[in-house]
C-alpha cells in the first residue's frame, strides 16, 4: 500500500518495528496540506512539510501515536545554514522559517478537522487524530480556473517579482505564476494617502489549491461553507507567516493598511544584506 506513512518510513530508512505513524491519519494530514497548496516532502528531503513519528522530549512525554510536522526550507538555505554557527544569518533565517511555518500549520489544520496537540513552546507541531469532517473537495467539484494576469502585467516591478521568487525559494514556498494559481500571489497596492507611492510594489497573499477554492465557491451548501472556512484559515495563517518567513530570507516587507481596507503585506524588493548571497 503506497500511503504517505509508508513512503515516509521507507525514504527515511526506518526499520520494521520502529516508531511509525498511523497511515490513515498521515494520509488525512497530507491531503489537507496539499489542499492548502503546500509542498509535502518525504524521507527528510524537502522542501516542504515533513511527517515523522513524534519523539519524546523527556521521560514524561507520552507522544506515542502522534505525528510531528516539520518544515524543510529550500536546499540553498538548508545548505548555507548547515555550514554556519547558530548565530549567523542563514542559520537564524532557517530557524525563523521553520518555526513560523510550524505555527502556520497549527493555525489552519483544525479547519480541516485535524487535531493539533499542544506541546512545548516553540517545539514541534504535533497532530493526534482527525477530530472532525474534512472539506468535501472531490474531483467532480474541480473546475479549472482560467489563467489570470501575471505580476508584470499588473505593474509589479521586475526587481520585486525576482526578490519574492528568490526568497520564497529559500523558504521552500511556491510562488503563483498568475493570480488564479496556488502559492504566493503578487497584486498591486492601493496607496494609503496622497503621498504614498506604490509604483511597482506588490501586496502578497496566498492562494490554496484550486480544488479547495472550487469547493469553497461551490454554492450555498454546508460542504461549501466548510471549504470556505478552511480556505480562509489557510490564507490568514500563511499571510501571518509571510512577514517573518520572507523577511528572514531577505525580502523588504512592510504591513500597511489603507483606510477602510484590509491590511496589505507589501514587498518592496531585496534587502541590502540577505542571509544567503546569490
Amino acid at each position: 500500500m503506497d500511503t504517505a506513512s509508508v513512503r515516509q518510513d521507507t525514504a527515511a530508512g526506518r526499520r520494521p518495528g520502529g516508531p511509525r505513524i498511523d497511515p490513515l491519519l498521515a494520509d488525512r494530514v497530507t491531503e489537507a496540506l496539499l489542499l492548502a497548496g503546500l509542498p509535502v516532502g518525504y524521507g527528510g528531503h524537502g522542501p516542504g512539510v515533513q511527517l515523522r513519528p513524534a519523539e519524546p522530549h523527556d521521560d514524561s512525554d507520552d507522544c506515542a501515536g502522534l505525528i510531528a510536522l516539520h518544515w524543510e526550507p529550500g536546499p540553498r538555505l538548508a545548505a548555507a545554514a548547515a555550514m554556519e554557527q547558530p548565530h549567523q544569518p542563514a542559520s537564524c533565517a532557517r530557524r525563523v522559517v521553520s518555526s513560523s511555518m510550524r505555527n502556520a500549520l497549527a493555525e489552519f489544520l483544525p479547519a480541516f478537522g485535524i487535531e493539533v496537540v499542544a506541546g512545548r513552546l516553540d517545539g514541534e507541531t504535533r497532530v493526534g487524530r482527525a477530530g472532525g469532517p474534512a472539506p468535501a473537495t472531490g474531483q467532480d467539484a474541480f473546475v479549472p480556473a482560467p489563467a489570470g494576469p501575471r505580476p508584470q502585467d499588473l505593474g509589479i516591478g521586475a526587481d520585486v517579482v525576482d526578490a519574492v521568487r528568490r526568497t520564497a525559494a529559500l523558504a521552500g514556498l511556491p510562488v503563483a505564476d498568475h493570480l488564479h494559481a496556488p502559492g504566493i500571489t503578487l497584486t498591486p497596492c492601493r496607496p494609503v494617502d496622497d503621498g504614498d507611492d506604490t509604483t511597482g510594489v506588490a501586496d502578497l497573499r496566498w492562494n490554496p489549491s484550486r480544488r479547495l477554492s472550487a469547493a469553497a465557491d461551490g454554492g450555498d451548501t454546508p460542504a461549501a461553507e466548510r471549504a470556505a472556512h478552511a480556505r480562509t484559515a489557510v490564507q490568514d495563517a500563511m499571510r501571518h507567516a509571510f512577514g517573518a518567513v520572507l523577511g528572514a530570507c531577505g525580502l523588504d516587507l512592510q504591513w500597511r493598511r489603507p483606510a477602510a481596507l484590509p491590511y496589505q503585506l507589501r514587498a518592496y524588493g531585496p534587502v541590502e544584506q540577505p542571509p544567503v548571497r546569490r
Side-chain angles (χ1 to χ4, degrees):
M1 181 183 297
D2 185 25
T3 64
S5 64
V6 170
R7 294 193 298 272
Q8 291 278 0
D9 289 344
T10 301
R14 296 192 182 98
R15 297 178 179 178
R20 297 183 63 85
I21 56 181
D22 179 352
L24 296 180
L25 178 59
D27 286 344
R28 176 76 178 267
V29 173
T30 299
E31 175 70 1
L33 296 171
L34 296 176
L35 287 173
L38 290 172
V40 179
Y42 295 101
H45 301 285
V49 185
Q50 304 283 337
L51 280 68
R52 308 170 187 167
E55 297 183 357
H57 301 306
D58 51 46
D59 292 340
S60 63
D61 183 17
D62 183 10
C63 59
L66 301 183
I67 296 177
L69 304 182
H70 299 261
W71 181 265
E72 180 69 15
R76 288 187 65 235
L77 179 57
M83 294 187 292
E84 288 188 349
Q85 297 297 318
H87 64 280
Q88 291 183 293
S91 183
C92 292
R94 176 169 185 166
R95 288 198 303 274
V96 170
V97 170
S98 296
S99 63
S100 298
M101 289 307 302
R102 289 199 310 267
N103 290 341
L105 299 176
E107 284 185 42
F108 74 71
L109 282 175
F112 289 85
I114 295 169
E115 177 190 50
V116 176
V117 179
R120 296 191 314 178
L121 184 65
D122 198 32
E124 61 191 12
T125 294
R126 295 173 170 182
V127 294
R129 64 187 178 89
T137 56
Q139 291 295 334
D140 57 343
F142 173 62
V143 178
R150 298 179 182 275
Q152 295 89 333
D153 301 332
L154 299 171
I156 308 299
D159 59 331
V160 174
V161 176
D162 181 63
V164 171
R165 286 177 175 160
R166 283 192 290 106
T167 54
L170 289 176
L173 290 168
V175 178
D177 289 334
H178 57 81
L179 283 185
H180 298 303
I184 300 171
T185 63
L186 294 81
T187 60
C189 292
R190 264 189 211 184
V192 298
D193 52 45
D194 293 339
D196 184 23
D197 183 8
T198 60
T199 304
V201 179
D203 179 19
L204 303 184
R205 300 178 182 274
W206 180 262
N207 278 347
S209 70
R210 292 179 179 175
R211 271 206 299 149
L212 182 60
S213 291
D217 297 331
D220 187 15
T221 67
E225 183 178 347
R226 288 197 303 273
H229 174 64
R231 178 173 64 180
T232 299
V234 169
Q235 290 171 330
D236 290 346
M238 291 302 298
R239 256 194 133 202
H240 292 162
F242 284 166
V245 167
L246 299 183
C249 290
L251 187 64
D252 184 7
L253 291 165
Q254 186 179 32
W255 286 99
R256 296 296 299 273
R257 186 177 186 180
L261 290 173
Y263 277 100
Q264 298 172 350
L265 179 56
R266 294 184 176 184
Y268 293 94
V271 297
E272 292 184 5
Q273 294 184 330
V276 179
R277 298 288 182 179
R278 292 193 186 186

